[in-house]
Amino acid sequence: MYAVVVTGGKQYRVEQGTKVRVEKLSGEAGSTVTLDQVLMVGDGSDIKVGTPNVDGASVTAEIVGQGRGKKVEIIKFRRRKHHMKRQGHRQAYTELKITGISA
């Protein structure tokens, strides 16, 4: 069984028992999270597609940990002008382990 959920403005295809990194959610490691915005639920040939969400469907997950991704370097450079600006960014994420899908 799998589901397509929306969190942090992005869509993720999840299955029970898998780990997924999503945009940062509030909570500590070990706590549970319920994702209510489920766009699609599939189980073999039985597929339910929502308009936009599937009624009564939810995905439960356990927070494994919080972290920050690899550094992304931003460089703004103007040729022949002796101008260069550097900036870095590390995006925060939450790692989830999917514990259950209910439709």
Side-chain angles (χ1 to χ4, degrees):
M1 184 175 221
Y2 66 94
V4 176
V5 297
V6 176
T7 179
K10 297 179 179 74
Q11 298 177 6
Y12 300 92
R13 183 184 189 272
V14 296
E15 296 180 20
Q16 187 169 351
T18 60
K19 291 183 181 178
V20 63
R21 286 185 176 182
V22 300
E23 294 292 320
K24 184 170 169 50
L25 299 172
S26 60
E28 297 181 6
S31 62
T32 60
V33 174
T34 303
L35 304 173
D36 294 329
Q37 289 187 329
V38 180
L39 300 179
M40 186 176 91
V41 176
D43 189 14
S45 62
D46 181 30
I47 297 174
K48 295 180 186 175
V49 179
T51 55
N53 297 331
V54 178
D55 293 331
S58 66
V59 174
T60 57
E62 177 185 346
I63 296 178
V64 176
Q66 307 278 8
R68 293 173 70 193
K70 290 185 177 182
K71 181 176 275 193
V72 176
E73 285 195 22
I74 299 103
I75 298 175
K76 294 185 179 180
F77 180 77
R78 302 277 186 222
R79 64 185 187 156
R80 300 185 307 268
K81 304 295 182 192
H82 298 290
H83 175 78
M84 185 169 74
K85 180 180 177 182
R86 289 180 182 255
Q87 184 179 359
H89 176 74
R90 291 180 68 189
Q91 185 67 35
Y93 67 84
T94 301
E95 189 167 5
L96 299 176
K97 181 176 181 183
I98 307 301
T99 57
I101 299 172
S102 64

